[in-house]
């Protein structure tokens, strides 16, 4: 019986909107990460490597032992020679910066939409005012208070709520 209760609670948790939104965000984020990786490795880095003398960034490394001249990074790793893979680090750093910039733009857009929504809420005209005699809330258009039956004039200030 206890396992049935746990399964029911898990099902309720799993079908909540927030969990589903999070799952969709993770899936789209993973796909977006692959796109950014491809853009960096296949579009951005080749021209930069060409400008630097036909260097392939993914093969750039700093040797920690002698005897690695002319070897590619794959061959150095295959030989278990310790190196600092600076080219891969640069690629990952550029990927991070692109993703961080996209997230920044997304958050900035969401905040702008929230500000516009708040402006619309603030700009709404008040629909009620306080009666100057009994201080009850009455419609702005009222000429007589529905609570104390006082006659209201157009010049009385409305302190809309």
């Amino acid at each position: 019986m206890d396992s049935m209760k746990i399964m029911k609670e898990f099902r309720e948790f799993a079908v909540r909107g927030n969990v589903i939104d999070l799952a969709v965000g993770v899936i789209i984020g993973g796909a977006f990460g692959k796109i950014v990786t491809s853009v960096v490795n296949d579009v951005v880095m080749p021209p930069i490597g060409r400008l630097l003398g036909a260097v392939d960034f993914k093969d750039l490394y700093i040797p920690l032992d002698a005897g690695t001249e002319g070897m590619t990074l794959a061959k150095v790793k295959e030989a278990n020679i310790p190196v600092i893979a600076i080219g891969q680090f640069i690629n990952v750093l550029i990927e991070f910066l692109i993703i961080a910039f996209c997230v920044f733009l997304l958050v900035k857009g969401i905040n702008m939409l929230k500000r516009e929504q708040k402006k619309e809420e603030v700009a709404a005209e008040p629909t009620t005012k306080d009666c100057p005699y009994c201080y009850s809330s009455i419609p702005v258009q009222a000429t007589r208070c529905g609570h104390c039956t006082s006659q209201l004039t157009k010049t009385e200030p409305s302190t809309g709520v």
Side-chain angles (χ1 to χ4, degrees), residues 54-92:
V55 174
D56 189 1
F57 265 83
K58 63 183 174 203
D59 282 336
L60 283 180
Y61 63 89
I62 299 172
L64 299 177
D65 285 343
T68 60
E69 291 81 21
M71 295 176 71
T72 65
L73 181 62
K75 289 183 181 180
V76 170
K77 285 186 174 184
E78 188 177 296
N80 288 327
I81 300 172
V83 295
I84 297 174
I86 192 75
Q88 289 181 345
F89 174 74
I90 291 171
N91 284 354
V92 170

Side-chain angles (χ1 to χ4, degrees), residues 3 6 13 17 25 27 44 47-48 50 100 158-159:
S3 64
I6 291 173
F13 169 77
I27 292 168
V44 174
I48 293 173
R50 173 85 184 209
S158 64
T159 58

Side-chain angles (χ1 to χ4, degrees), residues 9-83:
E9 288 178 12
F10 177 73
R11 193 175 321 121
E12 289 173 5
F13 169 77
V15 296
R16 271 193 202 145
N18 294 348
V19 174
I20 294 171
D21 292 344
L22 179 64
V24 169
V26 168
I27 292 168
I28 291 193
F32 182 70
K34 289 179 181 179
I35 291 170
V36 171
T37 299
S38 177
V39 166
V40 170
N41 292 335
D42 303 330
V43 177
V44 174
M45 297 315 281
I48 293 173
R50 173 85 184 209
L51 289 173
L52 296 176
V55 174
D56 189 1
F57 265 83
K58 63 183 174 203
D59 282 336
L60 283 180
Y61 63 89
I62 299 172
L64 299 177
D65 285 343
T68 60
E69 291 81 21
M71 295 176 71
T72 65
L73 181 62
K75 289 183 181 180
V76 170
K77 285 186 174 184
E78 188 177 296
N80 288 327
I81 300 172
V83 295

